[in-house]
Amino acid sequence: MSRMKRRHFLQFAGSALTAMGLSQTGFLRQADRYGKVLAQSTPRKLALLIGVNQYEDPRISNLSGCIKDVEMQYQLLVHRFGFNPSDILMLTDDAELTPTRDNILQAFQEHLQQARSGDIVVVHYSGHGSQVIDPNPITVSQCGPDSNPNGLNGTLVPRDATPERVSDSEVIVTDIMGRSLFLLMEQIQTENLTVVLDSCFSGSGTRGNARVRSTNEARLDGRGDGLQLSPSPAELENQARWMRDLEIDDSEFYRRRSLGIAKGVAIGSASCDQLAYEQPYDRGQTAGTFSYLLSYLWQTPIAEPANTVKVNLVRSTRIAARDRGEQIPIFEEEPGSNNLAEPIYFQPPQQPFADGVVTDVTGAQIEIWMGGTSLALLGTVQPGAVYSLINPTTRELVGDIALQSRNGLYAYGERLEGQSIDVQAGMLVREKLKALPNPTLQIGVDPTLAAEQVAAETALQTVLQTTSGEQTVNRINVLPVDQRSNLNYVLARTTEVMQAQLRQAGETALPPIGSVGLYAADLSGIVPNTAGPVNETAIAAVNRLQPRFKSLLVMRVLQELASTESSLQVEGTIYATSGRGPSIPIVGRNAQPPTSSGIQVEPTSATYQTDELIEMEITNSEPDAVYLSSLVIDSQGNIVVLHPARWDDPDEAARIDANESKVVPRAEDGVQFRLSGSGFIEVLTIVSQQPLRSLLRNLQTIASRGGRERGAVLFDEGDPLDLVTDLLGDVDSLSRSTGTISVDTVAEEDTAVDSGAIAVFSTLIEIVE
């Protein structure tokens, strides 16, 4: 299978945008509201957002999440980066202007050609990608000398893309080539251009519960080298005309393309050898895996350069890879520029960080778009949660909303009782009180286990079943693998194809063919050490995996807690005692910006050499004492309690007095945090107003069984599910007794998490040899 490599992909990402020689008048008449802003002064912010779900060619599978991607980007640009809605042109299947080839080209030519020097332009495309023969292919050095052996060029696949002629060896398609995108980008009259592409250029169909955003294989009819896709004559004629307008010849065009992208910054949704997926984020609700990841930009309290955003997005994908597969985004800047040091989208956010925005107020009911909420936390946006209202102009907190229901990314609530605030559309919301539901895993049974489906589903539903009084609780929900269910994992029997996909994704510990294991929802990765012996029955596999199910459920709960914002005034630093490597801040979103300009200039690499000894220093700026716990989750899912580690008096060991600092782990407790091997580990730092007594008592019991008064404790030494249940009980009790607001809105069976009572920070560290 031919694979688009990193450099070549980004040539496509920035490959062709200028003088198209098409009629401008008809297009702007259709988009009249976009043409009414021509007289505005610079700097102006223009955006073109393209989302294609429905395709006219029956060989091209329809997608489900591209229009949602466009909505998410629109809300981000308007309510976080201050774009005027009238300057954003959206081409989607349900819009007046659909994403046909002609409309896409005219949108570039007319809407974006309004830009002048110093203006800001954002282009977002979500839809299928493909590849065609390149008449003058470039060498893709960054992805290796053999990255483009077939001389291909990536394409965008518009809604009306159809074959113009089919022969025994060739299909001519009406795609928009990367070469064309390069030229179109060249003609936009500003350097402040960002192009976001959520698609890929090889592969097709579904992988587990995800759908691949490429139609290349489907249109080749499985014939591989026996058939090729070629660009249409009209496409090549356009390119020749645009080169004349730019006054460049073929050799100059080749030279520029070989150097890199045309201008600005190009952001791709997947790296060299990876596929771009769309996956469900809720039942029947789908979005691009990468496009949803961009919700991170709602949460940054300070302006970050594109390079910092890149680092943080990669970290987020490393954490998400546990269940949804690893799809690493790529960023590239114009050659010779320093664009990745500029703020993302070439400007600081214009409005404060938030989890969502009020979109409608009807009587007492308030509608809120929650697309600023991370995927890991969307399930906690449920009845009982409380969000603060923010005036986007003054940045002041003006009141609170209690949620009553949610449907996908839209939530509905009312003002807290006793508040008479005037709620307006456009106000931002920020989490104040979380309502965590009972923790569960969502697992699907792959078609490779079709003969054992019923038995596997029954085993999964009962393997973590617990009984409390007359109530039975199932900790695993079994859902269909249908590209509509929001799954955490897929139980599957390994096939040759799956093994090959794992090898291509960089997996080294490959499961044997015929073994049953627990896979990421898109089948791009397998949970470490979950593959069993060849021809093991599904029931036996589920029973064998019971301890792993518990640890995965525990990690999910910890991830939900770690995504909680807090108003506690605590901060800290992670560092190597040798002085080598970075100093990684542990800080919440409410902390002061590190520079007077509010722009964080350099990203923190969070990378250390193996064998380094790591410490953390935590400072308490609260007027009262706080209590510190520190956990580490390694790449195998093992959870280690580093602090407190003095089991004769863990409450006192966890204490940090007002305006004091504590360094952990402590040598006097017999604990060292020394890195080994390579890969990623996650450090969780938990700070609370009171000791986590139930959790610490359970850990104390585990330590005493081994005759230890001091030292680290592994969750697996006890029952991980019992330990995390104790932790949730502590958090709920603390929030209900000492929190900053009433938690009456949170149901008794849910866990209340008050932002003023507890702070949980997650730090991902990469270890290299």
Side-chain angles (χ1 to χ4, degrees), residues 20-135:
M20 293 185 282
L22 300 174
S23 170
Q24 299 182 20
T25 56
F27 185 80
L28 284 182
R29 276 201 299 269
Q30 293 179 65
D32 181 64
R33 71 185 182 94
Y34 304 108
K36 292 179 179 178
V37 291
L38 291 172
Q40 293 182 357
S41 60
T42 57
R44 186 175 172 196
K45 291 174 278 194
L46 295 166
L48 172 59
L49 312 180
I50 305 164
V52 193
N53 279 341
Q54 303 295 316
Y55 285 88
E56 297 176 7
D57 185 346
R59 288 179 297 181
I60 301 177
S61 61
N62 290 329
L63 298 170
S64 301
C66 299
I67 294 177
K68 183 60 66 176
D69 293 359
V70 165
E71 178 188 12
M72 296 179 79
Q73 186 70 263
Y74 173 87
Q75 300 283 8
L76 176 70
L77 294 177
V78 171
H79 297 292
R80 185 74 164 116
F81 288 91
F83 278 58
N84 189 325
S86 63
D87 282 330
I88 300 177
L89 176 57
M90 293 188 288
L91 305 184
T92 62
D93 301 314
D94 57 359
E96 180 181 357
L97 290 168
T98 59
T100 63
R101 172 183 166 85
D102 286 348
N103 282 346
I104 292 172
L105 293 177
Q106 287 201 16
F108 273 112
Q109 180 65 38
E110 300 175 10
H111 182 61
L112 299 186
Q113 287 302 321
Q114 300 174 69
R116 297 295 176 262
S117 178
D119 288 352
I120 292 169
V121 173
V122 173
V123 177
H124 181 114
Y125 171 80
S126 286
H128 277 307
S130 189
Q131 290 172 306
V132 298
I133 293 296
D134 190 332

Side-chain angles (χ1 to χ4, degrees), residues 558-598:
L558 293 175
Q559 185 181 29
E560 290 177 342
L561 285 174
S563 301
T564 301
E565 183 50 43
S566 178
S567 57
L568 287 181
Q569 299 301 306
V570 293
E571 59 184 18
T573 305
I574 297 176
Y575 56 90
T577 58
S578 67
R580 295 183 293 267
S583 179
I584 306 171
I586 301 174
V587 64
R589 289 183 297 178
N590 289 323
Q592 293 298 313
T595 68
S596 59
S597 66

Side-chain angles (χ1 to χ4, degrees), residues 370-576:
M370 299 299 302
T373 306
S374 70
L375 182 62
L377 273 187
L378 188 61
T380 70
V381 181
Q382 65 164 15
V386 175
Y387 285 79
S388 296
L389 278 165
I390 308 167
N391 183 315
T393 302
T394 65
R395 299 180 176 242
E396 295 177 340
L397 303 179
V398 295
D400 300 305
I401 299 174
L403 297 193
Q404 298 170 325
S405 64
R406 179 178 63 84
N407 179 19
L409 291 180
Y410 285 89
Y412 303 88
E414 294 184 351
R415 303 165 185 83
L416 275 185
E417 186 176 351
Q419 295 190 3
S420 58
I421 51 176
D422 181 22
V423 183
Q424 301 289 331
M427 285 185 169
L428 303 175
V429 299
R430 189 180 298 164
E431 181 188 74
K432 189 172 186 179
L433 176 67
K434 189 192 302 294
L436 287 181
N438 283 325
T440 58
L441 293 177
Q442 321 286 354
I443 298 180
V445 177
D446 189 72
T448 54
L449 291 170
E452 303 174 83
Q453 176 126 10
V454 174
E457 290 180 351
T458 300
L460 284 168
Q461 288 166 345
T462 57
V463 70
L464 292 188
Q465 192 176 83
T466 58
T467 303
S468 177
E470 297 182 355
Q471 184 179 14
T472 299
V473 178
N474 295 325
R475 296 296 188 184
I476 293 180
N477 292 332
V478 180
L479 299 175
V481 182
D482 58 0
Q483 292 78 56
R484 293 177 55 81
S485 302
N486 181 21
L487 295 177
N488 304 131
Y489 303 98
V490 172
L491 188 73
R493 190 176 296 280
T494 305
T495 65
E496 290 184 13
V497 172
M498 293 163 65
Q499 191 185 70
Q501 290 169 353
L502 292 175
R503 184 182 296 108
Q504 189 173 21
E507 292 278 357
T508 54
L510 295 174
I513 295 171
S515 65
V516 177
L518 199 61
Y519 281 77
D522 61 9
L523 300 184
S524 66
I526 186 169
V527 178
N529 301 321
T530 60
V534 174
N535 297 327
E536 177 186 32
T537 67
I539 293 176
V542 170
N543 291 330
R544 172 179 54 82
L545 290 171
Q546 183 189 44
R548 180 50 64 93
F549 290 139
K550 287 185 177 182
S551 65
L552 291 172
L553 188 59
V554 168
M555 286 194 293
R556 185 162 185 82
V557 172
L558 293 175
Q559 185 181 29
E560 290 177 342
L561 285 174
S563 301
T564 301
E565 183 50 43
S566 178
S567 57
L568 287 181
Q569 299 301 306
V570 293
E571 59 184 18
T573 305
I574 297 176
Y575 56 90

Side-chain angles (χ1 to χ4, degrees), residues 335-367:
S337 74
N338 197 26
N339 288 340
L340 290 180
E342 296 292 328
I344 190 71
Y345 297 152
F346 290 95
Q347 64 156 17
Q350 303 298 295
Q351 295 177 348
F353 70 88
D355 297 297
V357 60
V358 174
T359 49
D360 185 63
V361 180
T362 304
Q365 186 182 71
I366 303 167
E367 180 187 74

